[in-house]
Amino acid sequence: MRRDTLRYLRCPESGRSLVAEPFILAGDEIVDGRLIEPESGNWYRIEEEIADLVAAPFRDRERLDAFCAKHRLTAGPVPTRGKLVDGNTARQLKFFADYSEGYERDVVQSPFYDVLDRVTIEQWLDAKVAKDATVLEVGCGSGHQTLHILRQEKHVIGIDLSEDMLRIAQRKVRAAKPPGHADFIVGKAEQLPLGEGLFDAAVIFGSLHHITDPGAAVREVSRILKPGAGFYMLEPHKSPVRFVFDWTMRLFPLWQEEANDDPLIDAPQFTAWLRSAGLDGAIRYSTYLPPHLFYVVKRRKGDLLLRATDRLFGAIPGIRRLAGVIIAEGEKPR
């Protein structure tokens, strides 16, 4: 984690500023160290450049104990009896701990998402976000979208509740050596350990359907954005013909998934979340074809096919709502 990133970070419990105590440095990067909230004395580990900034009930006790043994420390805040992790969060943590490498292989690296990224978020980043912008990516997982952002010379703070996924993201960024810089934070989307009004843009790409309270996550995104800052959110759509996708996936499964209790989003729901967060945004749609089709067409043909069908069906009232993907895009009012 870069020292300069400290100005964006806040204590997840109190919201107060933090001070850094480095143990191992590599230039401007804190490899191992602690982030301390001076008033309470609570501290949070930085290990292999990843900062663990979740509230006590979500702390990985095994990793914390190993870190304390490594650096001869007394344990920091640990899970208490007074607050329990909700069932969905517990399922998500277990799923991504057990299936992190499989999720990277089956979902993140799938030909379908490869095409979808280029047709959706890459175009938005190029058109709407300045090269020197600081972008928050909520639910960044193994860093696939992170790399898209970094290649356009932006700084990214990527937050995810799964440290296992963040370690994959970190390896990918180090191997790719893109022109932008990324810092990865273990954090909860509904309780972002970040200061208010500090970010130039925010992205939630396919993560809201994993989050226990998606509306709270959207409100948190609004809180950390600067006035006039842009946001981009993409999710599975509660389409009237969603059963066709579900039937196809049962016959020919492409990946495993662990979603929250209400994983599909429609336009009224997305709009309600944006309004409650004070965000101005427009809803649009993508993907009218089965994802399986993009496994058999060439890369460039897949791009052309998705763009053409999005443009064609997205222009027809009534038909546009049959898409498999819903997108909310806009900005925080000035």
Side-chain angles (χ1 to χ4, degrees), residues 190-215:
E190 302 99 319
Q191 192 180 12
L192 294 174
L194 303 167
E196 295 186 11
L198 298 176
F199 288 82
D200 302 303
V203 171
I204 308 180
F205 194 98
S207 299
L208 284 175
H209 67 283
H210 293 289
I211 295 168
T212 302
D213 188 347

Side-chain angles (χ1 to χ4, degrees), residues 9-28:
L9 306 182
R10 299 294 183 271
C11 173
E13 277 93 359
S14 68
R16 299 189 187 100
S17 296
L18 300 162
V19 295
E21 180 186 8
F23 299 153
I24 302 173
L25 287 168
D28 195 41

Side-chain angles (χ1 to χ4, degrees), residues 59-100:
R59 201 67 44 82
D60 186 321
R61 181 59 188 265
E62 186 175 337
R63 281 188 166 124
L64 177 62
D65 287 345
F67 181 82
C68 289
K70 177 182 178 181
H71 294 288
R72 300 180 181 179
L73 301 168
T74 302
V78 294
T80 62
R81 293 181 181 179
K83 190 176 180 182
L84 300 176
V85 177
D86 64 89
N88 173 66
T89 300
R91 291 195 307 270
Q92 299 295 332
L93 287 169
K94 184 178 188 310
F95 175 78
F96 285 107
D98 296 342
Y99 188 47
S100 57

Side-chain angles (χ1 to χ4, degrees), residues 167-184:
R167 288 175 183 268
I168 296 174
Q170 189 180 64
R171 291 201 303 266
K172 287 163 65 174
V173 170
R174 285 174 176 169
K177 297 180 181 178
H181 184 275
D183 285 304
F184 294 110

Side-chain angles (χ1 to χ4, degrees), residues 4 35 39 72 78 95 110 136 140 151 156 165 185-186 202 205 208 212 216 246 268 282 292 326:
D4 184 59
L35 294 168
E39 188 165 327
R72 300 180 181 179
V78 294
F95 175 78
S110 74
L136 172 66
C140 65
R151 291 186 187 110
V156 180
M165 297 297 280
I185 311 293
V186 184
F205 194 98
L208 284 175
T212 302
D246 295 337
H292 302 70
I326 187 169

